Amino acid sequence: WDTQRLGIKAIQKMFWKKRCDAFEKGVKMAQNIHDDEFIAGLMLHWAEGNKKNNAGIANSDARVIRVMVGWFEKYFHVRRASFAIHLHLHSGQDEENMKKYWSKLTGIPTKNFIKSFIKPEGSGYRKNILYNGTVKITPRGPGSTYLLFTILGCIAGYLKRTINEKISIEEWIQRLPYA
């Protein structure tokens, strides 16, 4: 068992180092890129995007999704064919039409859509009728594993540059138990 634990510790240290390297890459990116589109994407990801497990964003506003697909493509070289899309729909919405709508809007092929969630009828009060559903885009493929940590590093680097906030990796990334 001790040999196994040593192996687990070594692996967790290796992955922690990879996360830290990706984070530092993001900090450097934020120091060097000053254009409005990059900053807008950072702020959207910070406010609306995933902060654990993987990069991506969910929203019902088609403009937000279009901006973010272009942002991932321009700044992180994510090809449109590398995104996975997950739809969240209400019962009664035509899933195939929604897939076509979001595919046309984003340029992401319909084959990249994963199983949709369809909210059953009568499952609670509905404040907003989201005619096109909510969509979550997630970059996949080479480099996507550590993309979230690079983006979090970019946000931290931006905060350092704009409000001189001290950068602490542990505030942004959860350390593994043995790392």
Side-chain angles (χ1 to χ4, degrees):
W1 168 246
D2 285 340
T3 306
Q4 256 185 331
R5 191 173 7 191
L6 286 174
I8 291 169
K9 285 181 180 183
I11 289 168
Q12 285 191 358
K13 283 182 181 179
M14 176 187 69
F15 286 123
W16 176 250
K17 183 181 178 339
K18 286 184 176 187
R19 289 175 177 191
C20 290
D21 291 347
F23 186 87
E24 289 302 324
K25 176 183 172 186
V27 169
K28 288 177 184 160
M29 275 182 76
Q31 301 301 316
N32 297 321
I33 302 174
H34 300 273
D35 69 75
D36 292 342
E37 186 181 356
F38 178 70
I39 294 165
L42 274 185
M43 297 302 102
L44 275 173
H45 198 284
W46 190 19
E48 299 284 333
N50 303 345
K51 285 136 198 108
K52 293 184 179 182
N53 303 326
N54 53 26
I57 190 167
N59 211 286
S60 60
D61 188 328
R63 295 166 297 189
V64 169
I65 298 301
R66 287 178 60 202
V67 164
M68 291 307 289
V69 167
W71 183 78
F72 279 116
E73 191 173 45
K74 181 175 180 178
Y75 296 101
F76 299 99
H77 313 291
V78 177
R79 294 183 349 265
R80 290 176 192 247
S82 297
F83 282 96
I85 293 190
H86 181 249
L87 289 174
H88 188 126
L89 304 171
H90 291 280
S91 64
Q93 288 181 299
D94 185 328
E95 184 178 6
E96 287 309 310
N97 279 345
M98 292 299 103
K99 284 181 179 180
K100 289 176 189 171
Y101 168 81
W102 286 105
S103 177
K104 182 178 179 185
L105 185 101
T106 62
I108 298 169
T110 55
K111 68 181 175 116
N112 291 33
F113 285 67
I114 58 177
K115 185 175 167 77
S116 299
F117 173 80
I118 300 176
K119 188 175 181 180
E121 191 76 39
S123 59
Y125 180 70
R126 231 169 121 172
K127 284 185 189 175
N128 300 320
I129 297 173
L130 305 172
Y131 292 104
N132 297 311
T134 299
V135 68
K136 178 181 178 182
I137 57 168
T138 307
R140 300 280 191 218
S144 65
T145 304
Y146 295 96
L147 180 56
L148 172 64
F149 306 117
T150 302
I151 292 169
L152 294 175
C154 286
I155 297 166
Y158 174 78
L159 293 174
K160 167 97 172 117
R161 181 165 55 88
T162 57
I163 61 172
N164 202 30
E165 181 170 288
K166 183 177 184 258
I167 296 174
S168 169
I169 275 186
E170 282 84 4
E171 283 185 37
W172 293 93
I173 303 173
Q174 183 178 352
R175 184 185 279 268
L176 302 169
Y178 297 116

